[in-house]
Coordinates of all heavy atoms in Angstrom, one line a residue:
Y220 N -16.5 13.0 -13.7 CA -17.4 13.2 -12.6 C -17.7 14.7 -12.3 O -18.1 15.0 -11.2 CB -17.0 12.4 -11.4 CG -16.9 11.0 -11.5 CD1 -15.7 10.3 -11.4 CD2 -18.0 10.1 -11.9 CE1 -15.6 8.9 -11.5 CE2 -17.9 8.8 -12.0 CZ -16.7 8.1 -11.8 OH -16.6 6.8 -12.0
Y221 N -17.3 15.5 -13.2 CA -17.4 17.0 -13.1 C -18.8 17.4 -12.5 O -18.9 18.3 -11.7 CB -17.0 17.7 -14.3 CG -17.1 19.2 -14.2 CD1 -16.2 20.0 -13.5 CD2 -18.2 19.9 -14.9 CE1 -16.4 21.4 -13.5 CE2 -18.3 21.2 -14.9 CZ -17.4 22.0 -14.2 OH -17.5 23.3 -14.1
S222 N -19.8 16.8 -13.1 CA -21.2 17.3 -12.8 C -21.7 16.7 -11.5 O -22.8 17.0 -11.0 CB -22.1 17.0 -13.9 OG -22.2 15.6 -14.2
H223 N -20.9 15.8 -10.9 CA -21.4 15.0 -9.7 C -21.0 15.8 -8.4 O -20.1 15.4 -7.7 CB -20.9 13.6 -9.7 CG -21.4 12.7 -10.7 ND1 -21.9 11.5 -10.5 CD2 -21.5 12.9 -12.1 CE1 -22.4 10.9 -11.6 NE2 -22.1 11.8 -12.6
K224 N -21.6 16.9 -8.2 CA -21.3 17.8 -7.1 C -22.0 17.4 -5.8 O -23.2 17.1 -5.9 CB -21.5 19.3 -7.5 CG -20.7 19.8 -8.6 CD -19.2 20.0 -8.3 CE -18.4 20.7 -9.3 NZ -18.0 19.9 -10.5
A225 N -21.4 17.4 -4.7 CA -22.0 17.2 -3.4 C -21.4 18.1 -2.4 O -20.4 17.7 -1.8 CB -22.0 15.7 -3.0
A226 N -22.0 19.3 -2.2 CA -21.3 20.3 -1.5 C -20.8 19.9 0.0 O -19.8 20.3 0.4 CB -22.2 21.6 -1.4
V227 N -21.6 19.1 0.6 CA -21.3 18.8 2.0 C -20.2 17.7 2.1 O -19.3 17.9 2.8 CB -22.7 18.3 2.7 CG1 -22.4 17.9 4.2 CG2 -23.7 19.3 2.6
Y228 N -20.4 16.6 1.5 CA -19.4 15.5 1.5 C -18.1 15.9 1.0 O -17.0 15.7 1.7 CB -20.0 14.3 0.8 CG -19.0 13.2 0.7 CD1 -18.8 12.4 1.9 CD2 -18.3 12.9 -0.4 CE1 -17.9 11.3 1.8 CE2 -17.4 11.8 -0.5 CZ -17.2 11.1 0.7 OH -16.2 10.1 0.6
T229 N -18.1 16.6 -0.1 CA -16.8 16.9 -0.8 C -16.0 17.9 0.1 O -14.8 17.9 0.2 CB -17.0 17.5 -2.2 OG1 -17.9 18.6 -2.1 CG2 -17.5 16.4 -3.1
A230 N -16.8 18.9 0.7 CA -16.1 19.8 1.6 C -15.4 19.1 2.8 O -14.3 19.5 3.2 CB -17.1 20.9 2.1
S231 N -16.1 18.1 3.3 CA -15.6 17.4 4.5 C -14.3 16.6 4.2 O -13.4 16.6 4.9 CB -16.7 16.5 5.1 OG -16.8 15.3 4.3
K232 N -14.3 16.0 3.0 CA -13.2 15.2 2.7 C -12.0 16.1 2.2 O -10.9 15.7 2.3 CB -13.5 14.1 1.5 CG -14.3 13.0 2.1 CD -13.5 12.1 3.2 CE -14.3 10.9 3.5 NZ -13.5 10.1 4.5
A233 N -12.3 17.2 1.5 CA -11.3 18.1 1.1 C -10.6 18.6 2.4 O -9.3 18.8 2.4 CB -11.8 19.2 0.3
A234 N -11.4 19.0 3.4 CA -10.8 19.4 4.6 C -9.9 18.3 5.3 O -8.8 18.6 5.8 CB -11.9 19.8 5.6
M235 N -10.4 17.1 5.3 CA -9.6 16.0 5.8 C -8.3 15.8 5.0 O -7.3 15.5 5.6 CB -10.5 14.7 5.7 CG -9.8 13.4 6.5 SD -10.2 11.9 5.8 CE -9.3 11.9 4.2
N236 N -8.4 16.0 3.7 CA -7.2 15.9 2.9 C -6.1 17.0 3.4 O -4.9 16.7 3.5 CB -7.5 16.1 1.4 CG -8.1 14.9 0.8 OD1 -8.3 13.9 1.4 ND2 -8.6 15.1 -0.4
M237 N -6.6 18.1 3.7 CA -5.7 19.1 4.2 C -5.1 18.8 5.6 O -4.0 19.0 5.8 CB -6.4 20.5 4.3 CG -5.6 21.7 4.5 SD -4.5 22.1 3.1 CE -2.9 22.1 3.9
Y238 N -5.9 18.2 6.4 CA -5.5 17.7 7.6 C -4.3 16.6 7.4 O -3.3 16.6 8.1 CB -6.6 17.1 8.5 CG -6.1 16.5 9.8 CD1 -5.7 17.4 10.8 CD2 -6.1 15.2 10.0 CE1 -5.3 16.8 12.1 CE2 -5.6 14.6 11.2 CZ -5.2 15.5 12.3 OH -4.8 14.9 13.5
T239 N -4.5 15.8 6.4 CA -3.5 14.7 6.1 C -2.2 15.4 5.7 O -1.1 14.9 6.1 CB -4.1 13.9 4.9 OG1 -5.3 13.3 5.3 CG2 -3.1 12.8 4.6
I240 N -2.3 16.4 4.9 CA -1.1 17.2 4.5 C -0.3 17.7 5.7 O 0.9 17.5 5.8 CB -1.4 18.3 3.5 CG1 -1.9 17.8 2.2 CG2 -0.2 19.2 3.3 CD1 -2.4 18.8 1.3
N241 N -1.1 18.3 6.6 CA -0.4 18.9 7.8 C 0.1 17.8 8.7 O 1.3 18.0 9.3 CB -1.4 19.7 8.6 CG -1.7 21.1 7.9 OD1 -0.9 22.1 8.2 ND2 -2.6 21.2 7.1
L242 N -0.6 16.7 8.8 CA -0.1 15.6 9.7 C 1.2 15.0 9.1 O 2.1 14.8 9.9 CB -1.2 14.6 9.8 CG -1.0 13.4 10.7 CD1 -0.9 13.9 12.2 CD2 -2.2 12.4 10.6
A243 N 1.2 14.8 7.8 CA 2.4 14.3 7.2 C 3.5 15.2 7.4 O 4.7 14.7 7.6 CB 2.1 13.9 5.7
Y244 N 3.3 16.5 7.3 CA 4.4 17.4 7.4 C 4.9 17.4 8.8 O 6.2 17.4 9.0 CB 3.8 18.8 7.1 CG 4.9 19.9 7.3 CD1 5.9 20.2 6.4 CD2 4.9 20.7 8.5 CE1 6.9 21.2 6.6 CE2 5.8 21.7 8.7 CZ 6.9 21.9 7.8 OH 7.8 22.9 8.0
E245 N 4.1 17.4 9.8 CA 4.6 17.4 11.2 C 5.3 16.1 11.5 O 6.2 16.1 12.4 CB 3.4 17.5 12.2 CG 2.7 18.9 12.1 CD 1.6 19.1 13.1 OE1 1.6 18.3 14.1 OE2 0.8 20.0 13.0
L246 N 5.0 15.0 10.8 CA 5.7 13.8 11.1 C 6.8 13.4 10.0 O 7.2 12.3 9.9 CB 4.7 12.6 11.1 CG 3.6 12.7 12.2 CD1 2.5 11.7 12.0 CD2 4.3 12.5 13.6
R247 N 7.2 14.4 9.2 CA 8.1 14.2 8.1 C 9.4 13.7 8.5 O 10.1 13.0 7.7 CB 8.2 15.5 7.3 CG 9.0 16.6 8.1 CD 8.9 18.0 7.4 NE 9.6 19.1 8.1 CZ 9.2 19.7 9.2 NH1 8.0 19.3 9.8 NH2 9.9 20.6 9.7
D248 N 10.0 13.9 9.6 CA 11.3 13.5 10.1 C 11.2 12.2 10.9 O 12.2 12.0 11.7 CB 12.0 14.6 10.8 CG 12.3 15.8 9.9 OD1 12.5 15.6 8.7 OD2 12.3 16.9 10.4
T249 N 10.1 11.5 10.8 CA 10.0 10.3 11.5 C 9.8 9.1 10.6 O 9.8 9.2 9.3 CB 8.7 10.3 12.4 OG1 7.6 10.3 11.6 CG2 8.8 11.6 13.2
A250 N 9.5 7.9 11.1 CA 9.3 6.7 10.3 C 7.8 6.6 9.8 O 7.5 5.7 9.1 CB 9.6 5.5 11.1
F251 N 7.0 7.6 10.2 CA 5.6 7.6 9.8 C 5.4 7.7 8.3 O 6.2 8.4 7.6 CB 4.8 8.7 10.4 CG 4.3 8.4 11.8 CD1 5.1 8.6 12.9 CD2 3.0 8.1 12.0 CE1 4.6 8.4 14.2 CE2 2.5 7.8 13.3 CZ 3.3 8.0 14.4
R252 N 4.4 7.0 7.7 CA 4.0 7.3 6.4 C 2.5 7.6 6.5 O 1.7 6.8 7.0 CB 4.2 6.1 5.5 CG 5.7 5.8 5.1 CD 6.2 7.0 4.3 NE 7.7 6.8 4.1 CZ 8.7 7.3 4.8 NH1 8.4 7.9 6.0 NH2 9.9 7.1 4.5
V253 N 2.1 8.8 6.0 CA 0.7 9.2 6.2 C 0.1 9.7 4.8 O 0.7 10.5 4.2 CB 0.7 10.5 7.1 CG1 -0.8 11.0 7.4 CG2 1.3 10.2 8.5
N254 N -1.0 9.0 4.4 CA -1.5 9.3 3.1 C -3.0 9.3 3.1 O -3.7 8.7 4.0 CB -1.0 8.3 2.1 CG 0.5 8.4 1.8 OD1 0.9 9.4 1.2 ND2 1.2 7.4 2.3
A255 N -3.6 10.1 2.2 CA -5.0 10.0 1.9 C -5.2 9.1 0.8 O -4.6 9.2 -0.3 CB -5.6 11.4 1.6
V256 N -6.1 8.0 0.9 CA -6.2 7.0 -0.1 C -7.7 6.8 -0.5 O -8.5 6.7 0.4 CB -5.6 5.7 0.3 CG1 -5.7 4.6 -0.7 CG2 -4.1 5.9 0.7
C257 N -8.0 6.8 -1.8 CA -9.3 6.6 -2.3 C -9.4 5.1 -2.7 O -8.6 4.6 -3.4 CB -9.5 7.5 -3.5 SG -11.0 7.1 -4.4
P258 N -10.5 4.5 -2.1 CA -10.7 3.1 -2.5 C -11.2 2.9 -3.9 O -11.3 1.8 -4.4 CB -11.7 2.6 -1.4 CG -12.5 3.8 -1.1 CD -11.5 5.0 -1.2
G259 N -11.7 4.0 -4.5 CA -12.3 3.9 -5.9 C -13.8 4.0 -5.7 O -14.4 3.9 -4.6
F260 N -14.5 4.0 -6.9 CA -15.9 4.0 -6.9 C -16.5 2.6 -6.8 O -16.7 1.9 -7.8 CB -16.4 4.8 -8.2 CG -17.9 5.0 -8.2 CD1 -18.6 5.3 -7.1 CD2 -18.6 4.8 -9.4 CE1 -20.0 5.6 -7.2 CE2 -20.0 5.0 -9.5 CZ -20.7 5.4 -8.3
V261 N -16.6 2.2 -5.6 CA -16.9 0.7 -5.3 C -18.3 0.6 -4.8 O -18.8 1.6 -4.1 CB -15.9 0.1 -4.4 CG1 -14.5 0.1 -5.1 CG2 -15.8 0.7 -3.0
A262 N -19.0 -0.5 -5.0 CA -20.3 -0.6 -4.7 C -20.4 -1.1 -3.2 O -20.0 -2.2 -2.8 CB -21.0 -1.7 -5.5
T263 N -21.0 -0.2 -2.3 CA -21.2 -0.5 -1.0 C -22.5 0.2 -0.5 O -23.1 1.0 -1.2 CB -20.0 0.1 -0.1 OG1 -20.0 1.5 -0.1 CG2 -18.7 -0.5 -0.5
D264 N -22.8 0.0 0.8 CA -24.0 0.7 1.4 C -23.8 2.2 1.3 O -24.8 3.0 1.2 CB -24.2 0.3 2.8 CG -24.7 -1.1 3.0 OD1 -25.1 -1.7 2.0 OD2 -24.7 -1.6 4.1
F265 N -22.5 2.7 1.3 CA -22.2 4.1 1.3 C -22.8 4.8 0.1 O -23.3 6.0 0.2 CB -20.7 4.3 1.3 CG -20.3 5.7 1.6 CD1 -20.1 6.1 3.0 CD2 -19.9 6.5 0.6 CE1 -19.7 7.4 3.3 CE2 -19.5 7.8 0.9 CZ -19.4 8.3 2.3
N266 N -22.8 4.2 -1.0 CA -23.4 4.8 -2.2 C -24.6 4.0 -2.8 O -24.8 4.1 -4.0 CB -22.3 5.0 -3.3 CG -21.6 3.7 -3.7 OD1 -22.2 2.6 -3.6 ND2 -20.3 3.7 -4.0
N267 N -25.3 3.3 -1.9 CA -26.4 2.5 -2.3 C -26.0 1.5 -3.4 O -26.8 1.2 -4.3 CB -27.6 3.4 -2.8 CG -28.1 4.2 -1.7 OD1 -28.3 3.7 -0.6 ND2 -28.4 5.5 -1.9
H268 N -24.8 1.0 -3.4 CA -24.3 0.0 -4.3 C -24.3 0.4 -5.7 O -24.5 -0.4 -6.6 CB -25.1 -1.4 -4.1 CG -24.8 -2.0 -2.7 ND1 -23.8 -2.8 -2.4 CD2 -25.4 -1.7 -1.5 CE1 -23.8 -3.1 -1.1 NE2 -24.8 -2.5 -0.5
R269 N -24.1 1.7 -6.0 CA -24.0 2.2 -7.3 C -22.7 2.2 -7.9 O -22.4 2.5 -9.1 CB -24.6 3.7 -7.4 CG -26.1 3.8 -7.1 CD -26.5 5.2 -7.0 NE -25.8 5.9 -6.0 CZ -25.8 7.2 -5.9 NH1 -26.4 8.0 -6.8 NH2 -25.2 7.8 -4.9
G270 N -21.7 1.8 -7.1 CA -20.3 1.8 -7.6 C -20.0 0.8 -8.7 O -20.8 -0.2 -8.8
T271 N -19.0 1.0 -9.4 CA -18.6 0.1 -10.5 C -17.6 -0.9 -10.2 O -17.3 -1.8 -10.9 CB -18.1 1.0 -11.7 OG1 -17.0 1.8 -11.3 CG2 -19.2 1.9 -12.3
G272 N -17.0 -0.7 -9.0 CA -16.0 -1.7 -8.5 C -16.5 -2.4 -7.3 O -17.7 -2.3 -6.9
T273 N -15.7 -3.3 -6.7 CA -16.0 -4.1 -5.6 C -15.4 -3.6 -4.3 O -14.4 -2.9 -4.3 CB -15.7 -5.5 -5.7 OG1 -14.3 -5.7 -5.7 CG2 -16.3 -6.1 -7.0
A274 N -16.1 -3.9 -3.1 CA -15.5 -3.5 -1.8 C -14.1 -4.2 -1.7 O -13.2 -3.6 -1.1 CB -16.4 -3.9 -0.7
A275 N -14.0 -5.4 -2.2 CA -12.7 -6.1 -2.1 C -11.6 -5.3 -2.8 O -10.5 -5.2 -2.4 CB -12.8 -7.5 -2.6
Q276 N -11.9 -4.8 -3.9 CA -10.9 -3.9 -4.7 C -10.5 -2.7 -3.9 O -9.3 -2.4 -3.8 CB -11.5 -3.5 -6.1 CG -11.6 -4.7 -7.1 CD -12.3 -4.2 -8.4 OE1 -13.3 -3.5 -8.2 NE2 -11.9 -4.7 -9.5

Side-chain angles (χ1 to χ4, degrees):
Y220 298 120
Y221 175 72
S222 63
H223 292 230
K224 298 290 192 276
V227 179
Y228 176 73
T229 55
S231 73
K232 287 296 188 178
M235 188 207 71
N236 286 353
M237 190 70 234
Y238 178 72
T239 304
I240 291 173
N241 281 273
L242 186 61
Y244 176 80
E245 291 184 19
L246 296 169
R247 66 193 182 281
D248 295 325
T249 71
F251 275 84
R252 292 292 179 270
V253 182
N254 294 288
V256 179
C257 172
F260 186 39
V261 298
T263 66
D264 290 348
F265 192 84
N266 56 31
N267 294 318
H268 295 269
R269 292 176 298 168
T271 55
T273 67
Q276 289 173 321

